[in-house]
Amino acid sequence: DAGVTQSPTHLIKTRGQQVTLRCSPISGHKSVSWYQQVLGQGPQFIFQYYEKEERGRGNFPDRFSARQFPNYSSELNVNALLLGDSALYLCASSWTGGSNYGYTFGSGTRLTVV
Amino acid sequence: GDSVTQMEGPVTLSEEAFLTINCTYTATGYPSLFWYVQYPGEGLQLLLKATKADDKGSNKGFEATYRKETTSFHLEKGSVQVSDSAVYFCALTTGANSKLTFGKGITLSVRP
């Protein structure tokens, strides 16, 4: 079975540009969460979606947005990129929205803003 | 708010040494606790979990016990291998707000 897949794996953007990151959850998983991991730090929660509805939002500016599609895949959009947005963006999926059983993470998208 | 505190790193050990990585937490309600591992250039992998007090999670020789009285979830392994070299993250989630809250992580290097 395929795990959580994220695309692209790496990308480089210029300050002020916009970027879209994509995530496909494990088959049957209905919840997708996004995390930002800055080098040397633990991941920080950005968004959670369950059954196509936003269930939670972390302390990130409105430049960050996301959505979940009917097939449960998800996109994370970041507008007006700043140098500080350079990070590894991780997607995690779980069967339910309120999971006490752990999430399965993808390998991430490495975003570099220059 | 919820928080996770991990011991400062990095940690360097010789192969077959005993490993302890400390983790304490602050949370409202009754959290579930996790250890995740991140190998170089990869995403996070769930190593083990515990969902209630006194539960012991175990996997691949690693163990951690959910200690409610000391709000701790220390990770241990009796004999580390070079292949255990990675970054280890302690994390928690509470049912009402199911986001994962992570500690800063600690880098483990195991020498042959």
Side-chain angles (χ1 to χ4, degrees), chain B residues 26-48:
Chain B
T26 302
T28 54
Y30 300 96
S32 293
L33 303 173
F34 306 88
W35 277 99
Y36 281 87
V37 59
Q38 187 173 36
Y39 297 100
E42 298 185 12
L44 299 173
Q45 297 179 22
L46 178 64
L47 182 59
L48 54 82

Side-chain angles (χ1 to χ4, degrees), chain A residues 35 37 48 97 100 102-103 105, chain B residues 32 34 36 38 51 89 98 100:
Chain A
Y35 290 81
Q37 186 181 11
Q48 185 194 42
N100 284 324
Y103 293 82
F105 281 82
Chain B
S32 293
F34 306 88
Y36 281 87
Q38 187 173 36
T51 58
F89 293 94
S98 57
L100 279 163

Side-chain angles (χ1 to χ4, degrees), chain A residues 3-4 25-26 29 91-94 101-106, chain B residues 36 44 46 100:
Chain A
V4 178
I26 289 174
H29 283 194
C91 173
S93 79
S94 65
Y101 301 98
Y103 293 82
T104 302
F105 281 82
Chain B
Y36 281 87
L44 299 173
L46 178 64
L100 279 163

Side-chain angles (χ1 to χ4, degrees), chain B residues 51-105:
Chain B
T51 58
K52 61 183 187 294
D54 299 324
D55 269 2
K56 176 183 285 188
S58 62
N59 186 27
K60 300 181 181 180
F62 290 90
E63 293 183 340
T65 301
Y66 188 144
R67 299 291 189 196
K68 185 179 178 182
E69 63 275 11
T70 55
T71 62
S72 64
F73 193 54
H74 304 323
L75 182 68
E76 297 182 335
K77 187 175 185 182
S79 176
V80 294
Q81 305 300 312
V82 172
S83 58
D84 294 327
S85 298
V87 181
Y88 291 81
F89 293 94
C90 185
L92 67 81
T93 184
T94 56
N97 181 355
S98 57
K99 70 172 186 177
L100 279 163
T101 299
F102 287 88
K104 290 185 176 181

